[in-house]
Amino acid sequence: MKRLPTLRQNACGKYVRMARINYGKRHYTKMTQGDLAAKLQLKGLDHFDRLTVCRIENGIRQVSDIELKYLAVALEVSVEYLLYGRVDQLPSFDIIEPIVAEGELR
């Protein structure tokens, strides 16, 4: 019997991996999944271990908004980078008009 492909549980996994690898290059040292987990534990995410980071990077584990923020801080990148890969790929909000016209707020 053929196994069905597993659906990705997050959009940020591949960018977390890229940011972790690039973090090591920027700081002239290798950052392992265990190193990232330890850094997150020091910031208060006690439930993170190497396997959790591995599952996130492979798209198997969902990531909450709070965890995404902690990952961004630990990896020294923006949340937008972790979601979209490149900041210049952010969706455009130019078409949204202000809800309150200038001068209406007092």
Side-chain angles (χ1 to χ4, degrees), residues 60-80:
I60 297 169
R61 184 186 180 279
Q62 292 181 349
V63 179
S64 73
D65 54 349
I66 299 297
E67 291 172 339
L68 191 65
K69 178 66 177 168
Y70 275 95
L71 282 163
V73 169
L75 294 167
E76 298 176 5
V77 296
S78 67
V79 171
E80 291 81 10

Side-chain angles (χ1 to χ4, degrees), residues 8-20 33 53-61 63 68 71 75 81-83:
R8 289 190 68 82
Q9 296 293 314
N10 66 51
C12 66
K14 61 184 173 183
Y15 302 122
V16 169
R17 179 176 170 76
M18 287 170 43
R20 179 177 59 80
Q33 292 172 336
V53 174
C54 179
R55 287 179 175 157
I56 289 171
E57 288 184 358
N58 289 320
I60 297 169
R61 184 186 180 279
V63 179
L68 191 65
L71 282 163
L75 294 167
Y81 175 82
L82 293 180
L83 289 174

Side-chain angles (χ1 to χ4, degrees), residues 19 21-29 75-77:
I21 291 168
N22 288 331
Y23 178 93
K25 290 178 181 177
R26 285 192 319 267
H27 293 278
Y28 303 103
T29 182
L75 294 167
E76 298 176 5
V77 296

